[in-house]
Amino acid sequence: MSKKYYLTYVFVCFTYLLIGQNCNLKFTGTVKDFHDGTPIVGATVKIEGLKTYAVTDSKGNFTIKNICNSIFTVKVAHVSCEERIIQIDLKKKSLYEIRLEHHIEELNEVTLRSEVDKKTKTSQETVLKGNILARYSALSLGDAIKEIPGVSSINTGNSIVKPVINGLHSSRVLVMTNNVRLQDQEWGIEHAPNIDINSAGSVSLIKGANALEYGGDAIGGVIVVNPTRIFAKDSLFGQTTVNAQTNGRGYGINSSLTKTYDEGWYISGQASYKRSGDFNSPDYILTNTGNESTAFSLFTGRKKLEYGYELYYSYLKNEIAILRSSHIGNVEDLVDGINSQQPIVIDPFSYDINAPKQEVTHQIFKGTFYQRFKNFGKLDIQYDYQNNHRFEFDIRVGDDRNTPAIDLRLQSHTFKSTLKLDSNSENTYKVGIMAGLQDNFANPSTGVRRLIPDYEKFDFGFFTLGNFKINDDFSLDAGIRYDFNRIDAKKFYQTSRWNERGYDVDFADIIIQDFGTQLLVNPVFDFHNISISAGIAYTMNDNSSLILNYGLSNRAPNASELFSDGLHHSAARIELGDLRIQKETSNRISGTYSYKGEKASINIEGFFNHIQDFIYLEPSGVETTIRGSFPVWEHKQINATLFGVDLNMSHYINHQFTIQNKSSFIKGKDVSSNRALIDIPAFKTVNIIRYKNEKWSNFNAELQSEWVFRQNEFPNNNFEAYIPRTDSFVLVDISTPPPAYHILNFRSDFDLKIFKENSVNVAFTVNNVLNTSYREYLNRLRYFADELGRNFMIQLKFNY
Amino acid sequence: MRLKLIHVSFIAFAAVLSCNDSEDPIIINEEEVITTVTATLTPVGGGTIITLQSRDLDGDGPNVPVITISGNLAPNTTYSGAIEVLNETVTPAENITEEVEEEGDEHQFFFTPTNNVVTVAYADMDINGDPIGIEFTLTTTNASSGNLTVTLIHEPNKNAAGVSSGDITNAGGETDAEATFAIGVQ
């Protein structure tokens, strides 16, 4: 019975039927795997109450003859599937589509849904499978999803990698992990998603806000991280990956183990550890860039066809050092850093992680339950709790040397429930409801004024989605969602700042207490958001298909946009939120053309996104303090447009050789003041030549050429700063993007047989083969240091 | 099924994990903030003591520092100078000079004049024999005017060329405080 955990959907197609008074009715059909369309051999199709049954042949076909009554019940079963009972009425319908729920799919059902059940049938969705993710075992989620054209990242050094989808990031990109919406202070550019890539089985990336089930505010897109899929080859199985790399002298290990029992019980665990010291650019050591990551997750539960539940816990701790030379005191130090061709501090290699650094712990607890109702649908109920604890250590003096400058604990509770009505397989509906409570606590023991205040946030939302199959060629998706957000903060303002912002006029009524130089205020803001999604998919012929979709989404401002108020040492700037900020509204249209042939495949995705009241951080002047002068960056609202085209083409020269091109082009404009948006990725084109030969132990090799152009469209935020030491003014060039660059990467892998049945996959990778020195526009530390130099990596993957 | 037991303990664990209380936040008065830099110049052999002060009571807030200079320096005079660094956001004011002195090897004041209005020499040293600059001598020549910028650098490279003789150019590090005074010598 342990083999019943196979992921299968079954279509039974009645291709021929005959109605008569006598027992001469006959029906035939095909049973196929939902994923790859391969026929399922040996499935039994049995008419209830009779001894009549058929077994599918090598093509998945079956025939049952001599049926007397046109109304009957069929039981479809397969050794690796949970059986299903379906009511059939031959008079009502000539063509039935029957889906069998698969047991292994049940294990991971909620999160696999987007991949398997393509609710985003009409969205720009790309799935990265486990074998691609395994290549990034030593890196991060943000690095892995850059495989997808149109996805880039905004980095702080090389370890803090924040995904950018079609030019948008942070609060505009929603990350789901195991059906839990990640709440990890994602508003910060220097806050990378707290996900251990080793715990991911696959990743679905949906561009735009069309996956309304997850949230209505994902103006950029949604990243859905699905847990590792379990293949019940045996009742106990697992995988271990070890890797090592020369750059940073890093190493890592990841291991997972799963035990399944009869009657649907299962338990699965995974743990990983990664460590790296100072990385190096081609010419120098990047002092204080090491990192250490410890993660584990555990899930256990019971799955039956009719009902089931699961408990899940995950723990992730990342300690990331930030380039020593990027910590600066004022504008003069910034000028020195920019003008110096290399980092000001270069020390010998070390594994030490010193200030400035981040230390983030993220824990997720989740419980789910589902119940399936015959001829109706399925009810899912989920509760999750997340605890995100973030420390940031600045370089401090005296007794505070080891005290963090930021100590934030964000706790989130979310309850959600969805009801899927799928008794009619042509048209399915889903309704859902969610409620969330969030509590942010900024620990005062830092001794530093809070960058983000204490706040409580309450969210409530509901949605309804419909998927309609108009005919064999057309299918339609439509959805609407409503969200309510309330943010209730308690924040201290410096009285001087409060008055300078004009809050003494507009917000005088929210002051709770006056401490003289500081004020304690209690801002409470409510937001009501409506999101709409609609899409149509058209299959033109066997090779070509077309998708068009539209999304309306609204995003309420985050805590940083409303409340941030303080000095950022990494950027030598004062960042100010604004209590007056309202929600932003995105209207996005997009289209996808896809061609899949024997010799070639092409996927072209285009989009146009207009964002009204786009919340945007922009320099507004210079303030002088006793430390010196600093540019002030303020959150403002403008109207913005973004449009772009992402291309993915492959040409299969022969069975062994493939060439592939992936390119992305994007433009972003601030239409309010007719100038370019900041931090828009430059044109990028990647060419890959790939060789594979199964006869040589599954040998694969590829050479990748990555060419990133210079971003020529950027807002000019340069400013003149007075340098008292030299009694002169200098231009502080914080805007000009670095030059174009071209790097080569090489990768190969093969299977090594050790035991009779087990094999080891050995992968060898060289990144930046030519040891090219370059800087990337979307790296916040680009002023101070080059990107990484050549890196040799080796990885061994054992399955058992 | 024994897994049931695991499942129950799982839930108990989560309940413990999510315990939480919330109350009004506590005010933070930053202790490391430098609000006030005062240089006291005492003429060697007697005369009027001159003070140069930069005071920024709202720290990194929007208000600009207030510069106060008690008077003009006398020509052809040597002054014995001392710097006091305070945090006046707390009561009583915290004297940060002591911290700078204790961690003298990680701090250094730099005195950068324009128009050669004065010359400054260090009169103290850290545990490595390098200057700190809390104590210094300042010498004037003929009547003139110009700026004197006083900069406190954290973690300067004191071994870099010129740094120990007071040239800030190669010092690196981070600026903790910086004040520019318009000096008149007459």
Side-chain angles (χ1 to χ4, degrees):
Chain A
M1 283 304 283
S2 67
K3 285 198 172 180
K4 68 189 174 186
Y5 299 118
Y6 266 122
L7 182 60
T8 318
Y9 280 78
V10 178
F11 293 97
V12 180
C13 304
F14 300 90
T15 53
Y16 176 73
L17 60 98
L18 212 146
I19 300 164
Q21 296 303 312
N22 303 320
C23 295
N24 58 359
L25 290 170
K26 168 184 164 185
F27 90 91
T28 64
T30 313
V31 182
K32 281 180 178 176
D33 184 303
F34 181 84
H35 291 288
D36 50 12
T38 52
I40 290 182
V41 185
T44 55
V45 183
K46 186 174 180 298
I47 296 177
E48 289 275 88
L50 302 174
K51 289 181 178 175
T52 318
Y53 74 97
V55 178
T56 56
D57 64 13
S58 63
K59 289 178 179 173
N61 296 323
F62 67 88
T63 305
I64 300 179
K65 291 178 182 170
N66 305 327
I67 301 167
C68 306
N69 202 330
S70 64
I71 298 172
F72 55 90
T73 306
V74 170
K75 188 156 98 181
V76 186
H78 186 255
V79 66
S80 61
C81 304
E82 197 77 64
E83 64 190 23
R84 185 166 176 195
I85 295 157
I86 305 131
Q87 304 288 335
I88 303 286
D89 184 346
L90 294 179
K91 280 180 188 162
K92 263 191 187 169
K93 253 170 91 178
S94 60
L95 186 71
Y96 280 82
E97 191 183 271
I98 303 163
R99 294 179 176 193
L100 270 200
E101 206 70 55
H102 187 279
H103 211 123
I104 190 71
E105 199 271 339
E106 280 287 292
L107 278 176
N108 302 311
E109 182 185 41
V110 196
T111 39
L112 275 178
R113 186 140 297 235
S114 66
E115 179 191 352
V116 177
D117 202 356
K118 291 241 174 180
K119 93 165 36 61
T120 60
K121 223 173 261 179
T122 64
S123 286
Q124 295 178 324
E125 178 175 352
T126 312
V127 178
L128 290 181
K129 297 245 164 67
N131 57 336
I132 301 283
L133 296 178
R135 298 179 184 182
Y136 294 89
S137 177
L139 299 169
S140 68
L141 175 72
D143 291 304
I145 59 172
K146 284 199 274 186
E147 285 271 340
I148 301 167
V151 180
S152 47
S153 68
I154 187 154
N155 295 9
T156 303
N158 55 288
S159 299
I160 301 173
V161 182
K162 185 112 186 153
V164 178
I165 303 175
N166 287 148
L168 301 171
H169 56 82
S170 301
S171 290
R172 298 185 182 97
V173 170
L174 194 161
V175 181
M176 298 294 298
T177 177
N178 208 345
N179 205 37
V180 173
R181 180 175 180 164
L182 200 63
Q183 302 284 0
D184 62 345
Q185 322 251 20
E186 67 284 351
W187 41 264
I189 287 182
E190 67 283 8
H191 304 175
N194 287 288
I195 295 217
D196 174 20
I197 190 165
N198 291 301
S199 71
S202 68
V203 173
S204 301
L205 186 132
I206 302 149
K207 295 174 182 172
N210 289 71
L212 288 186
E213 182 180 354
Y214 303 121
D217 54 352
I219 290 174
V222 182
I223 299 167
V224 185
V225 179
N226 308 305
T228 311
R229 257 166 50 191
I230 300 154
F231 294 99
K233 286 171 188 160
D234 196 355
S235 60
L236 183 68
F237 53 93
Q239 189 185 71
T240 295
T241 308
V242 290
N243 58 59
Q245 52 183 341
T246 56
N247 200 334
R249 301 184 205 171
Y251 53 89
I253 181 162
N254 172 57
S255 213
S256 66
L257 201 61
T258 299
K259 173 93 177 123
T260 57
Y261 300 87
D262 283 350
E263 296 297 310
W265 301 94
Y266 61 91
I267 183 161
S268 180
Q270 171 261 338
S272 70
Y273 178 78
K274 279 190 254 193
R275 181 84 202 261
S276 179
D278 293 338
F279 288 87
N280 59 271
S281 77
D283 301 318
Y284 41 80
I285 286 180
L286 300 163
T287 296
N288 203 42
T289 52
N291 61 70
E292 185 175 15
S293 170
T294 312
F296 66 88
S297 61
L298 186 73
F299 60 97
T300 177
R302 189 177 192 195
K303 292 286 175 184
K304 303 283 281 179
L305 181 63
E306 300 81 14
Y307 69 93
Y309 68 89
E310 181 180 291
L311 297 166
Y312 168 87
Y313 172 75
S314 74
Y315 172 92
L316 172 65
K317 183 176 177 182
N318 279 327
E319 202 177 344
I320 303 173
I322 295 167
L323 184 72
R324 175 62 185 84
S325 301
S326 69
H327 195 273
I328 46 186
N330 65 8
V331 163
E332 292 171 69
D333 301 342
L334 177 62
V335 171
D336 289 348
I338 294 172
N339 292 343
S340 167
Q341 290 305 298
Q342 58 179 45
I344 286 169
V345 180
I346 299 175
D347 292 335
F349 173 85
S350 160
Y351 278 108
D352 294 347
I353 296 173
N354 296 316
K357 64 171 179 177
Q358 299 182 354
E359 207 180 288
V360 187
T361 310
H362 194 83
Q363 299 178 82
I364 301 174
F365 172 84
K366 182 186 95 163
T368 57
F369 169 81
Y370 69 85
Q371 174 80 52
R372 199 184 300 275
F373 303 97
K374 266 185 192 162
N375 298 320
F376 182 66
K378 188 182 163 208
L379 177 72
D380 272 289
I381 295 172
Q382 175 175 319
Y383 164 78
D384 64 74
Y385 166 74
Q386 296 179 72
N387 186 320
N388 183 275
H389 201 172
R390 161 171 288 268
F391 293 108
E392 290 186 15
F393 293 83
D394 275 350
I395 294 167
R396 300 176 76 175
V397 296
D399 300 339
D400 295 319
R401 192 168 289 267
N402 298 314
T403 310
I406 288 178
D407 177 351
L408 295 174
R409 185 191 287 272
L410 180 68
Q411 300 187 84
S412 312
H413 303 264
T414 311
F415 168 83
K416 61 183 183 181
S417 178
T418 56
L419 180 64
K420 189 179 182 191
L421 307 174
D422 57 359
S423 56
N424 177 343
S425 56
E426 309 258 296
N427 301 325
T428 59
Y429 303 89
K430 197 169 204 175
V431 292
I433 184 165
M434 73 78 79
L437 184 67
Q438 207 169 60
D439 179 88
N440 187 57
F441 173 66
N443 193 337
S445 68
T446 58
V448 175
R449 286 194 319 109
R450 300 166 178 89
L451 183 70
I452 295 294
D454 287 10
Y455 68 83
E456 279 182 358
K457 191 164 172 275
F458 173 69
D459 300 300
F460 172 75
F462 57 86
F463 66 87
T464 176
L465 308 170
N467 179 252
F468 312 100
K469 192 172 173 187
I470 296 165
N471 59 36
D472 284 349
D473 298 329
F474 273 103
S475 79
L476 186 74
D477 262 332
I480 184 161
R481 182 180 172 115
Y482 165 80
D483 283 285
F484 168 77
N485 316 106
R486 164 173 287 180
I487 188 160
D488 181 345
K490 286 190 177 150
K491 175 169 167 62
F492 285 98
Y493 275 93
Q494 289 172 299
T495 311
S496 57
R497 178 69 68 202
W498 182 259
N499 296 339
E500 180 261 340
R501 297 277 92 190
Y503 294 157
D504 52 340
V505 178
D506 295 353
F507 296 98
D509 56 328
I510 63 169
I511 297 171
I512 311 176
Q513 210 176 338
D514 188 340
F515 289 86
T517 56
Q518 293 190 50
L519 298 169
L520 177 62
V521 304
N522 180 207
V524 181
F525 298 120
D526 288 349
F527 300 95
H528 300 271
N529 298 328
I530 299 275
S531 317
I532 292 171
S533 165
I536 188 160
Y538 170 50
T539 309
M540 295 153 85
N541 53 47
D542 287 350
N543 303 114
S544 304
S545 64
L546 204 59
I547 288 174
L548 291 172
N549 68 50
Y550 163 75
L552 163 74
S553 55
N554 285 287
R555 184 178 71 85
N558 62 37
S560 159
E561 289 157 344
L562 290 168
F563 306 124
S564 73
D565 155 25
L567 190 58
H568 276 247
H569 283 284
S570 60
R573 67 194 193 193
I574 292 169
E575 276 185 22
L576 298 177
D578 195 330
L579 295 177
R580 301 175 185 95
I581 281 179
Q582 295 298 315
K583 68 182 177 186
E584 60 183 22
T585 304
S586 153
N587 279 280
R588 183 182 189 271
I589 51 169
S590 63
T592 305
Y593 170 78
S594 173
Y595 171 86
K596 280 196 174 68
E598 268 182 31
K599 279 276 162 203
S601 71
I602 300 171
N603 194 65
I604 305 171
E605 296 179 334
F607 77 96
F608 177 84
N609 196 350
H610 177 267
I611 308 174
Q612 197 183 331
D613 300 323
F614 184 65
I615 303 169
Y616 189 59
L617 191 61
E618 189 177 54
S620 62
V622 174
E623 273 182 11
T624 304
T625 77
I626 202 160
R627 276 177 189 273
S629 55
F630 296 93
V632 177
W633 289 60
E634 269 182 58
H635 284 96
K636 290 179 175 174
Q637 292 192 281
I638 57 163
N639 292 332
T641 57
L642 294 118
F643 70 94
V645 178
D646 304 323
L647 194 65
N648 192 349
M649 298 184 295
S650 292
H651 175 48
Y652 312 106
I653 299 170
N654 57 34
H655 188 66
Q656 269 92 35
F657 280 99
T658 307
I659 52 172
Q660 187 182 9
N661 174 278
K662 296 191 280 191
S663 299
S664 36
F665 165 85
I666 178 170
K667 290 243 181 267
K669 201 167 183 183
D670 166 0
V671 289
S672 301
S673 57
N674 196 24
R675 57 184 209 151
L677 286 180
I678 198 168
D679 290 343
I680 295 297
F683 177 76
K684 176 178 168 181
T685 183
V686 179
N687 288 291
I688 304 164
I689 180 155
R690 205 173 270 133
Y691 175 80
K692 66 167 182 179
N693 194 332
E694 285 96 339
K695 288 174 194 160
W696 302 351
S697 306
N698 255 331
F699 177 78
N700 289 289
E702 65 177 58
L703 185 65
Q704 197 182 76
S705 136
E706 189 179 323
W707 193 352
V708 177
F709 285 46
R710 180 176 180 271
Q711 179 56 275
N712 290 320
E713 295 182 13
F714 59 93
N716 187 347
N717 293 323
N718 295 344
F719 60 96
E720 293 254 315
Y722 173 68
I723 306 295
R725 299 166 195 172
T726 53
D727 192 23
S728 61
F729 281 88
V730 294
L731 182 74
V732 187
D733 185 355
I734 52 168
S735 308
T736 310
Y741 63 84
H742 175 250
I743 54 172
L744 284 181
N745 302 314
F746 171 80
R747 184 182 189 283
S748 69
D749 73 279
F750 61 93
D751 291 334
L752 202 65
K753 285 243 184 276
I754 305 182
F755 308 110
K756 270 180 194 167
E757 289 188 0
N758 295 343
S759 69
V760 181
N761 180 270
V762 182
F764 175 67
T765 307
V766 191
N767 285 334
N768 195 359
V769 175
L770 302 175
N771 212 18
T772 306
S773 294
Y774 66 102
R775 294 188 185 197
E776 163 59 47
Y777 178 50
L778 291 184
N779 192 330
R780 307 226 310 164
L781 305 190
R782 72 170 196 269
Y783 306 125
F784 310 108
D786 288 340
E787 297 284 331
L788 298 193
R790 190 187 293 129
N791 189 7
F792 295 93
M793 287 196 270
I794 188 153
Q795 183 179 76
L796 305 176
K797 199 164 66 185
F798 308 85
N799 288 305
Y800 44 85
Chain B
M1 197 65 213
R2 65 199 150 159
L3 269 179
K4 256 186 191 162
L5 189 67
I6 296 176
H7 296 169
V8 171
S9 48
F10 221 114
I11 292 170
F13 170 63
V16 171
L17 205 70
S18 60
C19 281
N20 179 39
D21 50 42
S22 83
E23 38 192 58
D24 265 8
I26 301 166
I27 192 163
I28 296 172
N29 291 304
E30 298 198 344
E31 287 172 5
E32 295 152 286
V33 167
I34 294 173
T35 59
T36 313
V37 175
T38 311
T40 307
L41 306 172
T42 311
V44 176
T48 311
I49 294 172
I50 302 294
T51 56
L52 313 174
Q53 189 182 66
S54 172
R55 200 167 184 221
D56 188 2
L57 290 179
D58 74 341
D60 58 13
N63 294 346
V64 296
V66 177
I67 305 282
T68 315
I69 299 167
S70 67
N72 287 324
L73 299 177
N76 300 310
T77 307
T78 298
Y79 290 87
S80 150
I83 288 194
E84 186 185 50
V85 182
L86 297 179
N87 172 12
E88 294 190 84
T89 62
V90 291
T91 321
E94 193 191 5
N95 190 342
I96 296 177
T97 325
E98 291 161 11
E99 207 164 71
V100 172
E101 200 167 2
E102 276 165 27
E103 294 175 358
D105 56 328
E106 293 183 2
H107 290 94
Q108 187 173 346
F109 286 96
F110 292 87
F111 304 89
T112 316
T114 61
N115 197 28
N116 294 317
V117 64
V118 293
T119 53
V120 178
Y122 290 108
D124 58 3
M125 57 178 72
D126 64 18
I127 49 168
N128 303 320
D130 293 316
I132 307 171
I134 297 171
E135 287 164 32
F136 58 94
T137 57
L138 182 146
T139 312
T140 59
T141 51
N142 298 324
S144 65
S145 66
N147 289 336
L148 175 68
T149 299
V150 179
T151 311
L152 172 61
I153 299 281
H154 180 223
E155 293 193 351
N157 180 2
K158 293 196 184 188
N159 299 320
V163 173
S164 61
S165 59
D167 182 358
I168 199 171
T169 315
N170 299 315
E174 298 156 47
T175 307
D176 276 353
E178 184 172 77
T180 299
F181 303 99
I183 304 276
V185 180
Q186 50 181 263

